[in-house]
Amino acid sequence: MKLNWSLLAVAAAFALGADAAQFEVDPDFSIGSRFPISDDRRTVPNFQIFGAPQLFGDRIILTPPAPGNQRVGVWSRLPNPHDEWTLTTEFRANGGERAGGSLNLWYTARGFKDGSGSGTDTIYTSTPWDGLALVIDSHSGAPQVRGYLNDGRTNYANHHNPISLAFGHCDLDYRNKGALTQLTLTQTSRLLKVEVDGRLCFQTEKARLPKGYYFGVTAATSEIPDSFELFKFVLSAPKGATHEQLNSQQHQQQQQQRYERYDQMNQPKGHGKQADGEQPHDQAFEKWHAEVGENDHEATYYKTHEEQFADLHNRMQALTHHLASIQNQLGMFYDHIDSLHHKDEEWRQEARHSRPPRDQIDRMDARLQVIENLAMQIAGAITSKDYTQHFDELRNTLKEHHMNLLYSVPESVSHVLTTGGPKIGMMVTIVVLVQVGLAVAYVIYKKRRNSSPKKYL
């Protein structure tokens, strides 16, 4: 029995190893799978950079330790061609005790064009987007990684509590720990799961992301910033899928070359759009231009089955090209309508937030009615009543006060002088006596001084 269990364990480990070996790194969608990451320290192959990150041979410093309030983004230029894949990210974050910042991993339908189109959005600043976002920050009160799904209709930036909209989360101690933090996002045919440092964070079997979306990573900091350093952003896919993708790209390049050769042969002289690099399906043709092999002939023109088959093949190929052009035009038309729809939603949201509430308008209307009624009452009181009697009474009162002041004041002054006469005489007598006393004292002083013996040196 022990031997059987051992054999089963070995078989299971071998099966797991075989499954792991079936995945290989796709370098066209990876950062850190080959070194240096940037040869010129300004660009990364197959990726588009927004903001001002610092590029080195072994890492990308998304947000430096200073200054704060930074917004950066790194987005893949190519759509993901894989149905099943694993995205492995290794990063490091350093900051003070009160530092703030957010690291966002994206997989969206339109890449950096989703959201506001700036390429540096976070879920807190982005307009509606379509796809998946993993957010690493401490906005919930504790350091966490949270997953968000959006179908292009939810505006997380206007939500009062976007943290509550996460479909999965777990705690993640990522700041100032010295070692790198590894975050792995895996999609298989059965589930979508997120792992942190080799342990399961959360997973779901209800979500499946389509291929053709774009990968990206953005970072944003507050006034006191977190410094996010990206060491690895590697996409792995089933073995052989990358070769199929390469063959598909080569086929697309060959098709593109056919388009260019055909346009060079059939381009009318003086047509300036093709000279600027515009594709055939981007042109507004004023007349139909047949592709090679579409020229009409009589049935008797074809003598052999090979010629008939070649003509049928050319016409089917031309039909395929035209259908692809129509599909591309419809896609561009859909993107334009979608952008207009998002703009319309933004305008509606802005109008909703800028319009005051109805109850506030009702209260203001009630107050205005009270003020209007009071003003009408005052105007009615002024215009309807006769105030002649009141003015006459006021004039008589002022006249009486004037007469009283005119006759009573002189009488009062004379009364004061007559009744206060003795008192004033007494004060004059005292003053005179004081002056006489001072004069007598001065005379006595001078006499004594003159009669005193003189002293000579």
Side-chain angles (χ1 to χ4, degrees), residues 295-327:
N295 297 325
D296 295 334
H297 298 283
E298 296 291 338
T300 57
Y301 177 81
Y302 304 101
K303 305 299 183 183
T304 63
H305 294 290
E306 289 77 8
E307 292 178 353
Q308 294 177 356
F309 178 77
D311 178 69
L312 180 62
H313 169 73
N314 292 335
R315 293 183 182 278
M316 290 295 295
Q317 190 175 24
L319 179 61
T320 304
H321 293 169
H322 295 315
L323 290 176
S325 300
I326 294 173
Q327 184 179 7

Side-chain angles (χ1 to χ4, degrees), residues 368-380:
L368 288 175
Q369 289 182 358
V370 171
I371 295 173
E372 183 180 2
N373 294 333
L374 182 60
M376 292 179 64
Q377 292 176 5
I378 294 173

